Amino acid sequence: MSKSANKHKFGKHYIHNLLSYLLVLLIPLAILAAFYSSRIKEKLFQEIYETVDLELAQISLQMDHQLDSMNNMVGQLTLSGALPSALQAGSPLELAPVISSLSGFRSANPFIEDMALILDRQDYVITASTTCNKTFYFGQFLSSPDLDMSGFDNLLASCPYPVAFPRTALSTTGTSTFSREMILFAYPLYSDYQTREGTMLFFVPSASVEKFLNPKLKSYHAQVYITDSSGTVITSYGEGPSLDFVFSDFSADIRALPRQVLADETDYLVRSYASNSSQWTYTAFLPDNQDTFSQVTSLTREFILAILMILFLSGCVIWFLQKHNYAPVKKLLEQAKGLIPDGKSPEPEEAVISNEITTISNALAYLSSENTALTARLSGSQKAVKGQRLLRLLAGDYASREDFNMDCCELDLELPYPFFTAAILLIPSHAPAPESWMPEFEKVNGSHVLYHCPHPFSPGQTVLLVNSAAPGSAWTCHHILQPLRDFLWQNDSLSATIGCGSCVDSTGLLPRSCMEASSALDYRFVKGNGTIIEFHEALGSDNPRLVYPNKEFQALRNAMLSNNEENIRHTIQDIIHFMELNQPPLYLARSVCFDLIHLVNLHCQKEGGAITSSPLALSGMETSQEILQILYAWSENLTSLGKPSLKSLSFPEVISYIRENCLGCEFSAYETAEHFGMTLPAFSKYFKEMSGQNVMDYTIGLRMDKAKDLLLTTALPLKDIAGQVGYYNVSSFTRRFKAHQGVTPGDYRKNRDGSHEK
């Protein structure tokens, strides 16, 4: 009974995970549903508005073109001499050239059905095909239910400007009988002396204008109205009830109309376009109850229902998968309870089930505390390369600890903590080298990161680098350097003197800490040997009147902000002259010199250039005069301090260089970047952008490819293969090969040999 109950018991971890997965699923679905319901409909309406506006503008453009064409015909008729010929004709027979001209105009423009030339001083009308008496033409030949044709010629004679007559049903009798809806355009004719001579009347079928309407407007069931500059409706197209009264009810611009509920109780969307050329207005009324709009609401409901269905089904799947995936956790929980010795897990059974992650975490912590095995340190040339990389770090050549960790990932060198302290160790010359006793000390103090390398400018001294999680040089002295001094005295009876610099939080400031450590070590002549001296103890009060060149440094920073090379060089000389005039003590001279070189290096790196010099050499200077000499030489050899000209870099050249050098144990991403005149961060970013992968990942891939080839084609021992692909020892090579290929080098060779034999 208890077993059955335990099978259905789930801890807090299971419940929390299940709820979190459901919440993660619900959030995007809810956002998607809200977005669709609020934004998609708005976007659809906006798209319809833009489409209708574009179509109305297109209709306006085509209509303006036809109006200009008719106006041009009138001008050509006057300029060609046809109008004077028609005025001087004594009989209809003399009008043949005029009829021919009108016929040519009509043939050239299919938009126009017919045209008529009506002269004020002639008793006949000239068309594109014949002539006719005015009385007969307007009294019997033309007829319209909307126009009084008997006085139509008088109406035309009184129009001083072009006018368009609204669409009307026009019928004709005679040889070319027709009956259709026409739009009439009348243009007054003037002679060269601006004397009115008659009227040109154009007959345009309503169907010709309707052709301008795009099928898209018809699919929206739009009613399109064309009005002239006075607001008169010239023509309209579309299905549905007449909306002519809208133009009489509103005197304002039709474009200002909102959505209106009209007489047929239908809600319309109103879009309009006004021509700047003809001052005509083109207005479209779109019924809001058409299928295009109503489907949006229907689709939105269906989409929300689909979202809810997906949420339900996904929740069921998540519950099933979570239950299935939780089985290994339960097994791991049982194993974790078995790993912890009796008495170390005071939690009752119910608490263990509720806090399964805590129980597993306690088991792992117990195993971690029991695991005290340390890997053997690399030796031989590996130590030399390590020392070289550490010297670069102490010189401030690495822009960040991440760059150092990437460049030294194959050397078991890592800076896991954000704070750094440099110290200098001085022991008697007959004492054994640090390599002999440092591993033993690290066994005792293995919880800290402590690296060492010989001082490059002071033989017999050892530079110590402390990487800690806690800031402050006092913490370093108390927890690391004091135990180191005691260890040397207790084990080898060595009297060690240690100078400790300040704690910094940037690899670029490590040279300052190293320089301060050198100044602190020099203070041993005052404090005595066999002690630990912090930098602040060595400051003393040599010259209380001496001040730091803050004004000059501020001027240098301002010059760098403006990127003025001339001002930068001038302020550098001012700082050097300040030191020459004031003759500061050694520690202050070192500090000023470091700040100067460090500030210039930061400026050069920011502008894309390389560092100008390493300030690490300052820690080996013993007088202020030596430092001044270094500064003079350094300032004279400074290259361009402005923005450097970008050097063209060929990526195939970079790949070729890496392929040629990556198999060497001394290969370094830093040296590769330096070879191409770039800083390591800039080179890493460039390589990632060009290849899509990290430079060290690419290098490891090349090494593993070479290793696989050697494993398959040679009988070399693994030790030799490791050396040929850039690894100092077999263990590092084996670990990297297994991480990359999933099997050890020996198993890889064995499996491939077996496949070949088969």
Side-chain angles (χ1 to χ4, degrees), residues 319-540:
W319 177 83
F320 175 77
L321 294 177
Q322 176 69 4
K323 183 178 179 181
H324 176 74
N325 295 336
Y326 187 72
V329 178
K330 294 185 70 175
K331 292 182 180 179
L332 185 60
L333 178 62
E334 295 299 325
Q335 294 179 357
K337 289 190 293 183
L339 288 174
I340 302 178
D342 295 338
K344 299 248 177 158
S345 178
E347 298 175 343
E349 182 69 17
E350 293 296 329
V352 169
I353 294 176
S354 299
N355 302 280
E356 60 271 43
I357 296 300
T358 303
T359 303
I360 296 173
S361 178
N362 291 338
L364 293 176
Y366 174 77
L367 291 177
S368 178
S369 65
E370 294 295 318
N371 183 16
T372 57
L374 300 176
T375 58
R377 295 265 176 191
L378 299 175
S379 59
S381 61
Q382 183 180 9
K383 293 180 180 179
V385 174
K386 278 187 174 181
Q388 182 189 38
R389 304 287 171 86
L390 288 172
L391 284 178
R392 287 179 185 165
L393 177 65
L394 292 169
D397 292 349
Y398 290 101
S400 64
R401 64 187 180 102
E402 288 78 14
D403 288 348
F404 176 84
N405 291 340
M406 181 188 70
D407 198 35
C408 302
C409 62
E410 301 292 345
L411 296 173
D412 293 332
L413 288 176
E414 185 183 13
L415 299 175
Y417 304 119
F419 299 100
F420 316 93
T421 305
I424 298 181
L425 171 67
L426 179 64
I427 54 179
S429 58
H430 64 275
E435 287 78 11
S436 61
W437 49 261
M438 187 62 77
E440 193 67 26
F441 172 74
E442 290 175 346
K443 290 181 181 179
V444 181
N445 296 272
S447 59
H448 308 298
V449 177
L450 177 63
Y451 298 126
H452 66 91
C453 64
H455 197 299
F457 303 104
S458 298
Q461 298 181 7
T462 301
V463 181
L464 304 176
L465 172 63
V466 181
N467 181 218
S468 60
S473 55
W475 185 92
T476 301
C477 293
H478 178 73
H479 288 82
I480 299 179
L481 299 182
Q482 183 65 37
L484 175 61
R485 191 182 71 87
D486 296 340
F487 174 84
L488 292 174
W489 177 256
Q490 294 171 4
N491 289 271
D492 298 309
S493 300
L494 296 176
S495 176
T497 306
I498 303 176
C500 181
S502 59
C503 181
V504 296
D505 60 356
S506 169
T507 55
L509 297 177
L510 266 174
R512 173 192 283 276
S513 183
C514 190
M515 176 196 66
E516 294 174 349
S518 180
S519 298
L521 187 64
D522 292 340
Y523 197 68
R524 69 185 183 278
F525 299 109
V526 177
K527 190 173 181 179
N529 291 322
T531 59
I532 298 178
I533 308 170
E534 294 185 56
F535 175 66
H536 68 84
E537 300 179 53
L539 292 179

Side-chain angles (χ1 to χ4, degrees), residues 559-609:
M560 289 178 175
L561 286 175
S562 62
N563 205 19
N564 189 316
E565 182 172 348
E566 182 179 354
N567 289 345
I568 293 175
R569 293 183 181 276
H570 180 72
T571 51
I572 289 175
Q573 293 300 323
D574 289 344
I575 295 174
I576 297 176
H577 291 159
F578 176 90
M579 295 181 62
E580 186 176 18
L581 291 174
N582 290 276
Q583 294 294 317
L586 180 60
Y587 76 88
L588 187 56
R590 286 174 175 170
S591 178
V592 173
C593 186
F594 169 82
D595 290 341
L596 179 57
I597 296 177
H598 179 65
L599 191 59
V600 173
N601 286 345
L602 287 179
H603 174 73
C604 291
Q605 291 177 339
K606 180 181 178 182
E607 297 301 327

